[in-house]
Each structure stands twice: as C-alpha cells, then as structure tokens.
Amino acid sequence: MRKAINIIVLILVIAVVAAGIFVGITKKEEYNYVLTAMNNAITAIKDGTWHDVEPGGFGEIADAPEGAESEAPQLTFTPNDYAGVSLQSVEDVVNYYNTVYNATKAETANYTTEDGGTAVFYKALVEESLTLKPDSLLVDGTANSLINGAAPGLLSKIFQSNVNGLPPCANRDPNQDIDETGASLMTSRVTPEDVLSCEVVDNGDGTITITIVPQTVNMSHKGMDSQGHFFNSLGAIDTTIEKVGVKWAEGTTADNCKVLYEGGYVKVKVDVASGKIVEGDYHMVVNVNITHANLLILSNKSASLTIYYDNKFPASDEYIMERRQLVRQ
C-alpha cells in the first residue's frame, strides 16, 4: 500500500473537515459525522483496506510559484579537484554521485529477525521521518491555531516510520526494491538535467560532501522524474484523492490538486578511498494545495500544507531494532 500517498491525502481531508468544525459546524450530529469519517479513514490506512490506485502519468519539471521563497540551499558549483576527485562540471558531479550511490547500495548484510531467523537486506539502511512544516496548514488561505495544533498528533497516529535502503527505495529487500512499473531501484537514475544546483566541499579528511538541489516537479513519482530520482516521492496523489470522496465545486482534479516538490536537497558525505557514501541526508519538501473541494457536508473549501519527509543514513542499530526488530549480524 502506498502509505505516504494516503497519509498526505488524509491530512488534507482533515484540514478541510477541520475548517468546518472550527468555523461553522455547530450541530452535534454534523460534528459526529465528521469525526466518524476521519476515524474511518485512519482505520482504513492502518488495516490495509485503503486500496492502491493505478499508476498515473509521471511528474514533470515545473516552475516554482511566482514570488515564493525557496527553502532550498543556495548552491554554487566550482570546478576543481576534490580530495583527488576531478569534478569539472555538473555532469561530472552526477556521474560521481551515481557511482558512489551504486557502490553503497550494492552491498547487502545479514540481519537477525524477530523470530530468530536470518534475512538479507541492504547494508545501507536509512531512518525516516515525516513532519508538517510549522503553521503551514491553511484552510481557505488562513491559519488556525486549533487546526495546526491538532494536525501533528493526527499525523503521528497514522505514520509509522519504516526501515529502507538509500532513497529512492521501495523495500529494504533488494529483490523487492522496484518502482511502480516493476523496474529495479537498486541503481541511481540521476541525470545532469535533474540538477537545479549543486555544490562540492573537500572536508580535508579524505571525504567530500556533495549537496544537490533537484529541479522542481509537480506530481512526482518515486524513481520516475527529477525529484523521484532522489526521493521517495508520493506518486499519484491526484487520483488517490478521488478515493477519499472529494468532489470539486468547479474545475477538475488536475486544476484543483497541486503537489509541488520544491525546496528539498540531498547531502551526502563520501569516503573517497572506498568510493562509498558514509553519511547522507535526503530532505524532501512537498507543497500541497487543494482548491474548490466539496467534502462531506462542506462545499468549495481550500486547504494547503507543506510536508517535510527526511531520510537519514546510516540508520542506527537502535532505530532498526525499534522499528522492525532487526539486529545486524
């Protein structure tokens, strides 16, 4: 099940519904109806009855909103030799990133499972977290302290962090690490055209740090576009949201559901001698905007929010034990 897709859709539903609760719904039966609908959605996500949608069209490079300030770091690439690695162009940086990524992700390791058995997973595992940008949840363009205060708690109830390999990744088992078309995600697909900006720093200790900001994409799919080549992007939210029961006061789903991936970055530290990544931060920023939504007893509502989805490498022994009861052998 595409857990992340359903989480983000559910939060939007909660935002729109919460608008009604706090700014206009006063009858007890209407209040109970809304709470029941939200609870049913949470239950469906937890028990797996919230079904997948068919893959839609893949994301396309998009422009950031006019006048919007990007959260992405401002990077400048300087051609140079870095710890003995000649990087003279963005293409060189991409090729080197792909090489060290592939070498790191190619390694597997044995893990003791909860039942005492042995499983083979990626050696390079990551921690994950999903958070809302503070005060980013707006209903009809306005922030509400009650809504923003409640949303993180609701998110924590439905999001359970997992253990996977270097992103993009669908599964910690290399044999099941595939995209929505069935193609393997074991090797990097990054191209120079995916890069908005980049920077390389020689740390002076035999390591270099590479930071890359991907191109902005609307409706990104994991492994399939400039953002999906770096991140576990969320896929067909536009088709998934229709399963929630959202209708439109005007326009179509494409007109009223925008999911812009902009402001994220990848930052990896590479040990030059081994040619492998030793530390990594994959920070994905997702800006979601829904307009003219009809839902339940509400009509023509709008909601927007920004989600931060982070993968940190390497995952600690404590994290993989807590999340999946795994012990490295």
Side-chain angles (χ1 to χ4, degrees), residues 20 39 99 129 134 150 162 215 218 240 288 292 294 316 328:
N39 183 68
T99 297
S129 63
N162 204 348
Q215 297 281 358
N218 184 51
T240 306
V288 187
H292 305 299
N294 294 335
S316 69
R328 292 184 173 100

Side-chain angles (χ1 to χ4, degrees), residues 161 163 316-326:
S161 54
V163 179
S316 69
D317 290 341
E318 293 77 13
Y319 177 87
I320 65 172
M321 167 56 76
E322 177 187 356
R323 302 317 309 167
R324 283 296 177 265
Q325 293 73 54
L326 298 173

